[in-house]
Amino acid sequence: MDWNWQKLFSYAEVACFVTAWVVGIMLAVQGQAESRARREASAFASAPDAIGIQANLSR
């Protein structure tokens, strides 16, 4: 197997590019999941508050 520095650098460059692409995809998916969980938690937390406000106003 005849390896020269240019071929080795090309393979390393491709490996780094693919790794960065995969990490970027994983971070984007994780960010969407956290955002969705945050939205669901805030909706759940605001539901009892809204009921309490309505109960106080109707008295």
Side-chain angles (χ1 to χ4, degrees), residues 4-52:
N4 59 12
W5 286 108
Q6 186 176 9
K7 184 184 266 188
L8 182 64
F9 180 76
S10 294
Y11 280 115
E13 187 177 12
V14 169
C16 287
F17 176 77
V18 170
T19 302
W21 183 75
V22 170
V23 169
I25 296 286
M26 290 174 61
L27 288 175
V29 169
Q30 183 181 6
Q32 286 178 348
E34 288 175 0
S35 175
R36 187 179 313 120
R38 219 176 295 127
R39 261 185 286 138
E40 291 171 356
S42 67
F44 179 75
S46 66
D49 294 340
I51 292 170

